[in-house]
Coordinates of all heavy atoms in Angstrom, one line a residue:
M20 N 6.9 -18.9 14.6 CA 5.8 -18.0 14.2 C 6.2 -17.5 12.8 O 7.2 -17.2 12.5 CB 5.9 -16.8 15.2 CG 4.8 -15.8 14.9 SD 4.7 -14.6 16.3 CE 3.1 -13.9 16.0
T21 N 5.1 -17.5 12.0 CA 5.3 -17.1 10.6 C 5.2 -15.5 10.5 O 4.4 -14.9 11.2 CB 4.1 -17.7 9.8 OG1 4.1 -19.0 9.9 CG2 4.3 -17.4 8.3
E22 N 6.1 -15.0 9.6 CA 6.1 -13.6 9.3 C 4.9 -13.2 8.6 O 4.4 -13.8 7.7 CB 7.4 -13.3 8.4 CG 7.6 -11.8 8.1 CD 8.8 -11.7 7.3 OE1 9.0 -12.4 6.3 OE2 9.6 -10.8 7.7
P23 N 4.3 -12.0 9.0 CA 3.1 -11.6 8.3 C 3.4 -11.3 6.8 O 4.6 -11.0 6.5 CB 2.7 -10.2 9.0 CG 3.4 -10.3 10.3 CD 4.6 -11.1 10.1
S24 N 2.4 -11.3 6.0 CA 2.6 -11.1 4.5 C 1.6 -10.2 4.0 O 0.6 -9.9 4.6 CB 2.7 -12.5 3.8 OG 1.4 -13.1 3.9
A25 N 1.9 -9.7 2.8 CA 1.1 -8.8 2.0 C 1.2 -9.2 0.6 O 2.2 -9.9 0.1 CB 1.5 -7.4 2.2
I26 N 0.2 -8.9 -0.2 CA 0.1 -9.3 -1.6 C 0.1 -8.1 -2.5 O -0.5 -7.2 -2.3 CB -1.0 -10.2 -1.8 CG1 -1.1 -10.9 -3.3 CG2 -2.4 -9.5 -1.6 CD1 -0.9 -12.3 -3.2
V27 N 0.8 -8.3 -3.7 CA 0.9 -7.3 -4.8 C 0.4 -8.1 -6.0 O 1.0 -9.1 -6.4 CB 2.2 -6.7 -5.0 CG1 2.2 -5.8 -6.1 CG2 2.7 -6.0 -3.7
L28 N -0.7 -7.7 -6.6 CA -1.3 -8.4 -7.7 C -0.8 -7.9 -9.1 O -0.9 -8.6 -10.1 CB -2.9 -8.4 -7.6 CG -3.4 -9.2 -6.5 CD1 -4.9 -9.2 -6.6 CD2 -2.9 -10.6 -6.5
H29 N -0.3 -6.6 -9.1 CA 0.0 -6.1 -10.4 C 1.4 -5.5 -10.3 O 1.7 -4.8 -9.4 CB -1.0 -5.1 -10.9 CG -0.9 -4.7 -12.3 ND1 0.1 -3.8 -12.8 CD2 -1.5 -5.2 -13.4 CE1 -0.1 -3.7 -14.1 NE2 -1.0 -4.5 -14.5
P30 N 2.3 -5.7 -11.3 CA 3.7 -5.1 -11.2 C 3.8 -3.6 -11.1 O 4.7 -3.1 -10.6 CB 4.4 -5.5 -12.5 CG 3.5 -6.6 -13.1 CD 2.1 -6.4 -12.5
S31 N 2.7 -2.8 -11.6 CA 2.7 -1.4 -11.4 C 2.2 -0.8 -10.1 O 2.2 0.4 -9.9 CB 2.0 -0.8 -12.6 OG 0.6 -1.0 -12.5
D32 N 1.7 -1.7 -9.2 CA 1.1 -1.3 -8.0 C 2.2 -0.6 -7.1 O 3.4 -0.9 -7.1 CB 0.6 -2.5 -7.2 CG -0.6 -3.1 -7.7 OD1 -1.2 -2.5 -8.8 OD2 -1.1 -4.1 -7.2
D33 N 1.6 0.4 -6.3 CA 2.5 1.2 -5.4 C 2.3 0.6 -3.9 O 3.0 1.1 -3.0 CB 2.0 2.7 -5.4 CG 2.3 3.3 -6.8 OD1 3.5 3.3 -7.2 OD2 1.4 3.8 -7.4
V34 N 1.3 -0.2 -3.8 CA 0.9 -0.7 -2.4 C 0.8 -2.2 -2.4 O 0.5 -2.8 -3.4 CB -0.3 0.0 -1.8 CG1 -0.2 1.5 -1.7 CG2 -1.6 -0.3 -2.8
A35 N 1.1 -2.7 -1.2 CA 0.8 -4.2 -0.9 C -0.4 -4.2 0.1 O -0.5 -3.3 0.9 CB 2.0 -4.8 -0.4
V36 N -1.2 -5.2 0.0 CA -2.4 -5.4 0.8 C -2.1 -6.5 1.9 O -1.7 -7.6 1.5 CB -3.6 -5.8 0.0 CG1 -4.8 -6.0 0.9 CG2 -3.9 -4.7 -1.0
L37 N -2.1 -6.1 3.1 CA -1.9 -7.2 4.2 C -2.8 -8.2 4.2 O -4.0 -8.0 4.1 CB -1.9 -6.4 5.5 CG -0.7 -5.5 5.9 CD1 -1.0 -4.6 7.1 CD2 0.6 -6.2 6.0
V38 N -2.3 -9.5 4.3 CA -3.2 -10.6 4.5 C -3.3 -11.1 5.9 O -3.9 -12.2 6.1 CB -2.8 -11.7 3.4 CG1 -3.0 -11.2 2.0 CG2 -1.4 -12.2 3.7
A39 N -2.6 -10.4 6.8 CA -2.6 -10.8 8.2 C -2.3 -9.5 9.0 O -1.7 -8.6 8.4 CB -1.6 -11.9 8.5
A40 N -2.8 -9.4 10.2 CA -2.5 -8.3 11.0 C -0.9 -8.2 11.2 O -0.3 -9.2 11.2 CB -3.2 -8.4 12.4
V41 N -0.5 -7.0 11.5 CA 0.9 -6.8 11.6 C 1.1 -5.7 12.8 O 0.3 -4.9 13.0 CB 1.6 -6.3 10.3 CG1 1.0 -4.9 9.9 CG2 3.1 -6.2 10.4
A42 N 2.2 -5.9 13.5 CA 2.6 -4.9 14.6 C 3.5 -3.9 14.0 O 4.2 -4.2 13.1 CB 3.3 -5.7 15.8
A43 N 3.5 -2.7 14.6 CA 4.5 -1.7 14.2 C 5.9 -2.1 14.3 O 6.3 -2.8 15.3 CB 4.3 -0.4 15.1
G44 N 6.7 -1.9 13.3 CA 8.1 -2.4 13.2 C 8.3 -3.8 12.9 O 9.4 -4.3 12.8
E45 N 7.3 -4.6 12.6 CA 7.3 -5.9 12.3 C 7.7 -6.1 10.8 O 7.2 -5.3 9.9 CB 6.0 -6.7 12.6 CG 6.1 -8.2 12.5 CD 4.9 -8.9 13.1 OE1 3.9 -8.1 13.4 OE2 5.0 -10.0 13.3
G46 N 8.4 -7.1 10.4 CA 8.7 -7.4 9.0 C 7.5 -8.0 8.3 O 6.8 -8.7 8.9
V47 N 7.4 -7.6 7.0 CA 6.3 -8.1 6.2 C 6.9 -8.7 4.9 O 7.6 -8.0 4.1 CB 5.3 -7.0 5.9 CG1 4.2 -7.5 4.9 CG2 4.7 -6.4 7.1
A48 N 6.6 -9.9 4.7 CA 7.1 -10.5 3.3 C 6.0 -10.3 2.3 O 4.8 -10.5 2.4 CB 7.2 -12.1 3.6
V49 N 6.5 -9.8 1.1 CA 5.6 -9.5 0.0 C 5.5 -10.7 -0.9 O 6.6 -11.2 -1.3 CB 6.1 -8.2 -0.7 CG1 5.2 -7.9 -1.9 CG2 6.1 -7.0 0.3
R50 N 4.3 -11.0 -1.3 CA 4.0 -12.1 -2.2 C 3.4 -11.5 -3.5 O 3.0 -10.4 -3.5 CB 3.1 -13.1 -1.6 CG 3.6 -13.6 -0.3 CD 2.7 -14.7 0.3 NE 1.3 -14.6 -0.2 CZ 0.3 -15.0 0.6 NH1 0.4 -15.3 1.8 NH2 -0.9 -14.8 0.1
G51 N 3.4 -12.4 -4.5 CA 2.8 -12.0 -5.8 C 3.8 -11.3 -6.7 O 4.9 -11.7 -6.9
A52 N 3.3 -10.2 -7.4 CA 4.0 -9.5 -8.4 C 5.4 -8.9 -7.9 O 6.2 -8.6 -8.7 CB 3.2 -8.4 -9.0
R53 N 5.5 -8.7 -6.6 CA 6.8 -8.2 -6.0 C 7.4 -9.2 -5.1 O 7.9 -8.9 -4.1 CB 6.5 -6.9 -5.3 CG 6.0 -5.8 -6.3 CD 7.0 -5.3 -7.3 NE 8.1 -4.6 -6.7 CZ 8.1 -3.3 -6.4 NH1 7.0 -2.6 -6.6 NH2 9.2 -2.7 -5.9
E54 N 7.2 -10.4 -5.4 CA 7.7 -11.6 -4.5 C 9.2 -11.3 -4.1 O 10.0 -11.0 -4.9 CB 7.6 -12.9 -5.3 CG 7.9 -14.1 -4.6 CD 6.6 -14.6 -3.8 OE1 5.5 -14.3 -4.2 OE2 6.9 -15.2 -2.8
G55 N 9.4 -11.5 -2.8 CA 10.8 -11.4 -2.3 C 11.1 -10.1 -1.7 O 11.9 -10.0 -0.8
L56 N 10.3 -9.1 -1.9 CA 10.4 -7.8 -1.2 C 10.1 -7.9 0.2 O 9.1 -8.6 0.5 CB 9.5 -6.7 -1.9 CG 9.6 -5.3 -1.4 CD1 10.9 -4.7 -1.6 CD2 8.5 -4.5 -2.1
R57 N 10.7 -7.3 1.1 CA 10.4 -7.2 2.5 C 10.2 -5.8 2.9 O 11.0 -4.9 2.5 CB 11.6 -7.8 3.3 CG 11.6 -9.4 3.1 CD 12.3 -10.1 4.2 NE 12.2 -9.3 5.2 CZ 12.0 -9.4 6.6 NH1 12.1 -10.2 7.1 NH2 11.8 -8.7 7.5
L58 N 9.2 -5.6 3.7 CA 8.9 -4.2 4.2 C 8.9 -4.3 5.7 O 8.8 -5.4 6.3 CB 7.5 -3.8 3.8 CG 7.3 -3.6 2.3 CD1 5.8 -3.4 1.9 CD2 8.1 -2.4 1.7
T59 N 9.0 -3.2 6.3 CA 8.9 -3.0 7.8 C 7.6 -2.2 8.0 O 7.6 -1.0 7.6 CB 10.1 -2.3 8.4 OG1 11.3 -3.2 8.1 CG2 9.9 -2.2 10.0
A60 N 6.6 -2.7 8.6 CA 5.3 -2.0 8.9 C 5.7 -0.7 9.8 O 6.2 -0.8 10.8 CB 4.4 -2.9 9.6
G61 N 5.1 0.3 9.4 CA 5.3 1.6 10.1 C 4.3 1.8 11.2 O 4.4 2.7 12.0
A62 N 3.3 0.9 11.2 CA 2.3 1.0 12.2 C 1.6 -0.3 12.4 O 1.7 -1.1 11.6 CB 1.1 2.0 11.9
A63 N 0.9 -0.5 13.6 CA 0.1 -1.8 13.8 C -1.1 -1.7 12.9 O -1.8 -0.6 13.0 CB -0.2 -1.9 15.2
L64 N -1.4 -2.7 12.1 CA -2.5 -2.6 11.2 C -3.1 -4.0 11.0 O -2.6 -5.0 11.2 CB -2.0 -2.2 9.8 CG -1.4 -0.8 9.6 CD1 -0.7 -0.7 8.3 CD2 -2.5 0.2 9.8
A65 N -4.5 -3.9 10.7 CA -5.2 -5.2 10.6 C -5.1 -5.6 9.1 O -4.7 -4.8 8.2 CB -6.7 -4.8 10.8
S66 N -5.4 -6.9 8.9 CA -5.5 -7.5 7.6 C -6.4 -6.6 6.6 O -7.3 -6.0 7.1 CB -6.1 -8.9 7.7 OG -6.2 -9.5 6.4
G67 N -5.9 -6.5 5.4 CA -6.7 -5.7 4.4 C -6.2 -4.3 4.2 O -6.6 -3.7 3.2
H68 N -5.3 -3.8 5.1 CA -4.8 -2.5 5.0 C -3.7 -2.4 4.0 O -3.1 -3.5 3.7 CB -4.4 -1.9 6.3 CG -5.6 -1.4 7.1 ND1 -6.1 -0.1 7.1 CD2 -6.4 -2.1 7.9 CE1 -7.2 0.0 7.8 NE2 -7.4 -1.2 8.4
K69 N -3.3 -1.3 3.5 CA -2.3 -1.1 2.4 C -1.0 -0.5 3.0 O -1.0 0.4 3.8 CB -2.8 -0.1 1.3 CG -4.1 -0.6 0.6 CD -4.6 0.3 -0.4 CE -5.1 1.6 0.2 NZ -6.3 1.5 1.1
L70 N 0.1 -1.0 2.5 CA 1.5 -0.6 2.9 C 2.1 0.0 1.6 O 2.0 -0.7 0.6 CB 2.4 -1.7 3.4 CG 1.9 -2.3 4.7 CD1 3.0 -3.4 5.2 CD2 1.9 -1.2 5.8
A71 N 2.8 1.1 1.7 CA 3.6 1.6 0.5 C 4.8 0.7 0.2 O 5.4 0.2 1.2 CB 4.1 2.9 0.8
L72 N 5.0 0.4 -1.0 CA 6.0 -0.5 -1.5 C 7.4 0.3 -1.5 O 8.4 -0.4 -1.4 CB 5.8 -1.1 -2.8 CG 4.6 -2.1 -2.9 CD1 4.4 -2.4 -4.3 CD2 4.9 -3.3 -2.1
R73 N 7.3 1.6 -1.6 CA 8.5 2.4 -1.6 C 8.1 3.7 -1.1 O 7.0 4.1 -0.9 CB 9.2 2.4 -3.0 CG 8.2 3.1 -4.0 CD 8.7 3.1 -5.4 NE 7.8 3.8 -6.4 CZ 6.7 3.3 -6.8 NH1 6.2 2.1 -6.4 NH2 6.0 4.0 -7.7
D74 N 9.1 4.6 -0.9 CA 8.8 6.0 -0.5 C 8.0 6.7 -1.7 O 8.4 6.6 -2.8 CB 10.1 6.8 -0.3 CG 10.9 6.3 0.9 OD1 10.4 5.6 1.7 OD2 12.0 6.8 1.0
L75 N 6.8 7.3 -1.2 CA 6.0 8.0 -2.2 C 5.8 9.4 -1.8 O 5.6 9.7 -0.5 CB 4.6 7.2 -2.3 CG 4.7 5.8 -2.6 CD1 3.3 5.1 -2.5 CD2 5.1 5.6 -4.1
E76 N 5.8 10.3 -2.7 CA 5.7 11.7 -2.4 C 4.2 12.2 -2.4 O 3.4 11.6 -3.1 CB 6.5 12.5 -3.4 CG 7.9 12.1 -3.5 CD 8.8 13.3 -3.8 OE1 8.3 14.4 -3.9 OE2 10.0 13.0 -4.0
A77 N 3.9 13.2 -1.7 CA 2.6 13.9 -1.7 C 2.2 14.2 -3.3 O 3.2 14.7 -4.0 CB 2.5 15.1 -0.9
G78 N 1.0 14.0 -3.6 CA 0.6 14.3 -5.0 C 0.7 13.0 -5.9 O 0.3 13.0 -7.1
H79 N 1.4 11.9 -5.5 CA 1.6 10.7 -6.3 C 0.3 10.1 -6.5 O -0.4 9.9 -5.5 CB 2.6 9.8 -5.5 CG 2.9 8.5 -6.3 ND1 3.8 8.5 -7.3 CD2 2.3 7.3 -6.2 CE1 3.8 7.3 -7.8 NE2 3.0 6.5 -7.2
D80 N -0.1 9.6 -7.7 CA -1.2 8.8 -7.9 C -0.9 7.4 -7.6 O 0.0 6.8 -8.2 CB -1.6 8.9 -9.4 CG -2.3 10.2 -9.8 OD1 -2.6 11.0 -8.9 OD2 -2.4 10.5 -11.0
V81 N -1.6 6.8 -6.7 CA -1.4 5.5 -6.1 C -2.2 4.4 -6.9 O -3.4 4.5 -7.2 CB -1.8 5.4 -4.6 CG1 -1.6 4.0 -4.1 CG2 -1.0 6.4 -3.8
R82 N -1.4 3.4 -7.3 CA -2.0 2.2 -7.9 C -2.1 1.0 -7.1 O -1.2 0.7 -6.3 CB -1.1 1.8 -9.2 CG -1.2 2.8 -10.2 CD -0.5 2.3 -11.5 NE -0.6 3.3 -12.6 CZ -1.6 3.4 -13.4 NH1 -2.6 2.5 -13.3 NH2 -1.6 4.3 -14.4
K83 N -3.3 0.4 -7.2 CA -3.5 -0.9 -6.5 C -4.3 -1.8 -7.5 O -5.2 -1.3 -8.1 CB -4.5 -0.6 -5.2 CG -4.9 -1.9 -4.5 CD -5.8 -1.5 -3.3 CE -6.5 -2.6 -2.7 NZ -7.6 -2.3 -1.8
Y84 N -3.9 -3.0 -7.7 CA -4.4 -3.9 -8.6 C -4.3 -3.4 -10.0 O -5.2 -3.6 -10.9 CB -5.9 -4.3 -8.3 CG -6.1 -4.8 -6.9 CD1 -7.2 -4.5 -6.2 CD2 -5.2 -5.6 -6.2 CE1 -7.5 -4.9 -4.9 CE2 -5.5 -6.2 -4.9 CZ -6.6 -5.8 -4.3 OH -6.9 -6.2 -3.0
G85 N -3.3 -2.6 -10.3 CA -3.0 -2.0 -11.6 C -3.8 -0.8 -11.9 O -3.7 -0.2 -13.1
E86 N -4.7 -0.3 -11.0 CA -5.6 0.8 -11.3 C -5.3 2.0 -10.2 O -4.9 1.7 -9.1 CB -7.0 0.4 -11.1 CG -7.5 -0.6 -12.1 CD -7.5 -0.1 -13.5 OE1 -7.9 1.2 -13.7 OE2 -7.3 -0.9 -14.4
V87 N -5.4 3.2 -10.7 CA -5.2 4.3 -9.8 C -6.3 4.4 -8.8 O -7.5 4.4 -9.3 CB -5.0 5.6 -10.6 CG1 -5.0 6.8 -9.6 CG2 -3.8 5.7 -11.4
I88 N -6.1 4.4 -7.6 CA -7.2 4.4 -6.6 C -7.3 5.7 -5.9 O -8.3 6.1 -5.2 CB -7.0 3.3 -5.6 CG1 -5.7 3.5 -4.8 CG2 -7.2 2.0 -6.2 CD1 -5.6 2.6 -3.6
G89 N -6.3 6.6 -6.0 CA -6.3 8.0 -5.3 C -5.0 8.6 -5.5 O -4.0 8.1 -6.1
R90 N -4.9 9.8 -4.9 CA -3.8 10.7 -4.9 C -3.3 11.0 -3.4 O -4.1 11.3 -2.6 CB -4.0 11.9 -5.6 CG -2.8 12.9 -5.8 CD -3.1 14.0 -6.7 NE -3.3 13.5 -8.1 CZ -4.3 13.8 -8.9 NH1 -5.1 14.8 -8.5 NH2 -4.4 13.3 -10.1
L91 N -2.0 10.8 -3.2 CA -1.6 11.1 -1.8 C -1.6 12.5 -1.4 O -1.2 13.4 -2.2 CB -0.1 10.6 -1.6 CG 0.1 9.0 -1.6 CD1 1.6 8.7 -1.6 CD2 -0.6 8.4 -0.4
T92 N -2.1 12.8 -0.2 CA -2.1 14.2 0.3 C -0.9 14.5 1.2 O -0.7 15.6 1.6 CB -3.5 14.4 1.1 OG1 -3.5 13.5 2.2 CG2 -4.6 14.2 0.2
A93 N -0.1 13.4 1.5 CA 1.1 13.6 2.3 C 2.1 12.5 1.9 O 1.6 11.5 1.3 CB 0.8 13.4 3.8
P94 N 3.3 12.7 2.1 CA 4.3 11.7 1.7 C 4.2 10.4 2.6 O 3.7 10.6 3.7 CB 5.7 12.4 2.0 CG 5.4 13.4 2.9 CD 4.0 13.9 2.7
V95 N 4.5 9.3 2.1 CA 4.5 8.0 2.8 C 5.8 7.3 2.6 O 6.2 7.1 1.4 CB 3.3 7.2 2.4 CG1 3.2 5.9 3.1 CG2 1.9 7.9 2.5
A96 N 6.4 6.9 3.7 CA 7.6 6.1 3.5 C 7.3 4.6 3.2 O 6.2 4.1 3.5 CB 8.4 6.1 4.9
A97 N 8.3 3.9 2.7 CA 8.1 2.5 2.4 C 7.7 1.8 3.7 O 8.2 2.1 4.7 CB 9.5 1.9 1.9
G98 N 6.6 0.9 3.6 CA 6.1 0.3 4.7 C 5.1 1.0 5.5 O 4.5 0.6 6.4
G99 N 4.8 2.3 5.1 CA 3.9 3.2 5.7 C 2.5 2.8 5.3 O 2.2 2.3 4.3
H100 N 1.6 3.2 6.2 CA 0.1 2.9 6.0 C -0.4 4.0 4.9 O -0.3 5.1 5.1 CB -0.6 3.1 7.3 CG -2.0 2.7 7.3 ND1 -2.9 3.3 8.2 CD2 -2.7 1.9 6.6 CE1 -4.1 2.7 8.0 NE2 -4.1 1.9 7.1
V101 N -1.1 3.4 3.9 CA -1.8 4.2 2.9 C -3.2 4.0 3.1 O -3.8 2.9 2.9 CB -1.4 3.8 1.5 CG1 -2.1 4.6 0.4 CG2 0.1 4.0 1.3
H102 N -4.0 5.1 3.5 CA -5.4 5.0 3.8 C -6.0 6.4 3.7 O -5.4 7.3 3.2 CB -5.5 4.4 5.2 CG -6.9 3.9 5.5 ND1 -7.5 2.9 4.7 CD2 -7.7 4.1 6.5 CE1 -8.7 2.6 5.3 NE2 -8.9 3.3 6.4
I103 N -7.2 6.5 4.2 CA -7.9 7.8 3.9 C -7.3 9.0 4.6 O -7.6 10.1 4.3 CB -9.5 7.7 4.4 CG1 -9.5 7.2 5.9 CG2 -10.2 6.6 3.5 CD1 -10.9 7.3 6.4
H104 N -6.4 8.8 5.6 CA -5.8 9.9 6.3 C -4.7 10.6 5.4 O -4.3 11.7 5.7 CB -5.1 9.5 7.6 CG -4.0 8.5 7.5 ND1 -4.2 7.2 7.1 CD2 -2.7 8.7 7.6 CE1 -3.0 6.6 7.1 NE2 -2.1 7.5 7.4
N105 N -4.3 9.8 4.3 CA -3.2 10.4 3.4 C -3.5 10.1 2.0 O -2.6 10.3 1.1 CB -1.9 9.9 3.8 CG -1.7 8.4 3.8 OD1 -2.5 7.7 3.3 ND2 -0.7 7.9 4.5
L106 N -4.6 9.6 1.6 CA -5.0 9.2 0.2 C -6.4 9.8 -0.1 O -7.4 9.5 0.7 CB -5.0 7.8 0.1 CG -5.3 7.2 -1.3 CD1 -4.1 7.5 -2.2 CD2 -5.7 5.8 -1.2
R107 N -6.5 10.7 -1.1 CA -7.7 11.3 -1.5 C -8.2 10.4 -2.7 O -7.5 10.2 -3.7 CB -7.6 12.7 -1.9 CG -8.9 13.3 -2.5 CD -8.7 14.8 -2.8 NE -9.9 15.3 -3.3 CZ -10.4 15.3 -4.6 NH1 -9.6 14.8 -5.6 NH2 -11.6 15.8 -5.0
S108 N -9.4 9.9 -2.6 CA -9.9 9.0 -3.7 C -10.2 9.9 -4.9 O -10.6 11.0 -4.7 CB -11.3 8.4 -3.2 OG -11.9 7.7 -4.3
L109 N -10.0 9.4 -6.1 CA -10.2 10.0 -7.3 C -11.5 9.5 -8.0 O -11.8 9.8 -9.1 CB -9.1 9.9 -8.2 CG -7.7 10.4 -7.7 CD1 -6.6 10.2 -8.7 CD2 -7.9 11.9 -7.5
R110 N -12.2 8.8 -7.3 CA -13.5 8.1 -7.8 C -14.7 8.6 -7.0 O -14.6 8.8 -5.7 CB -13.4 6.6 -7.7 CG -12.2 6.1 -8.4 CD -12.2 4.6 -8.3 NE -11.1 4.0 -8.9 CZ -10.8 2.7 -9.0 NH1 -11.5 1.9 -8.5 NH2 -9.7 2.4 -9.7
G111 N -15.8 8.8 -7.6 CA -17.1 9.0 -7.0 C -17.3 10.3 -6.3 O -18.1 10.5 -5.5
H112 N -16.5 11.4 -6.7 CA -16.6 12.7 -6.2 C -17.5 13.6 -7.1 O -17.8 14.7 -6.7 CB -15.3 13.3 -5.9 CG -14.5 12.7 -4.8 ND1 -14.8 12.9 -3.4 CD2 -13.5 11.8 -4.7 CE1 -14.0 12.3 -2.7 NE2 -13.3 11.6 -3.4
G113 N -17.8 13.1 -8.2 CA -18.6 13.9 -9.1 C -17.8 15.1 -9.8 O -18.3 16.0 -10.4
D114 N -16.4 15.0 -9.6 CA -15.7 16.2 -10.2 C -14.8 15.7 -11.3 O -14.9 14.6 -11.8 CB -14.8 16.7 -9.2 CG -13.9 15.8 -8.4 OD1 -14.1 14.5 -8.5 OD2 -13.1 16.3 -7.6

């Protein structure tokens, strides 16, 4: 069985995007700009979801594809799920 993987497209990214579903506690091989990094998924997730590449603190501006996509509202451990429950978008709010 092949280990699930995630992709990082830009060296400054804080998250990897899963290219396959992953079970909680399962190893994830990172490809692309952070090739060779291995993460342990903190939760069962579907393809397309984001995993933190390292421990990130609340208030951190998160980069994906080299662009800031939002600010963390809670800390996230390496391999943790980064999504709307802990990431506030900085786009499209009119502020």
Side-chain angles (χ1 to χ4, degrees):
M20 184 171 191
T21 305
E22 183 177 52
S24 63
I26 188 108
V27 176
L28 293 182
H29 195 277
S31 70
D32 287 354
D33 296 302
V34 295
V36 179
L37 288 167
V38 296
V41 65
E45 191 168 14
V47 177
V49 177
R50 302 183 337 213
R53 299 291 293 275
E54 190 81 31
L56 180 66
R57 289 198 31 145
L58 298 170
T59 300
L64 298 169
S66 178
H68 283 267
K69 298 176 292 300
L70 296 179
L72 292 173
R73 63 184 182 287
D74 293 347
L75 300 171
E76 302 212 6
H79 182 81
D80 286 348
V81 175
R82 289 186 178 276
K83 175 181 169 189
Y84 307 142
E86 297 292 326
V87 174
I88 60 167
R90 183 169 295 135
L91 287 176
T92 59
V95 180
H100 188 205
V101 176
H102 198 53
I103 60 172
H104 67 285
N105 58 16
L106 181 74
R107 179 180 180 269
S108 176
L109 298 178
R110 300 177 183 183
H112 289 282
D114 50 352

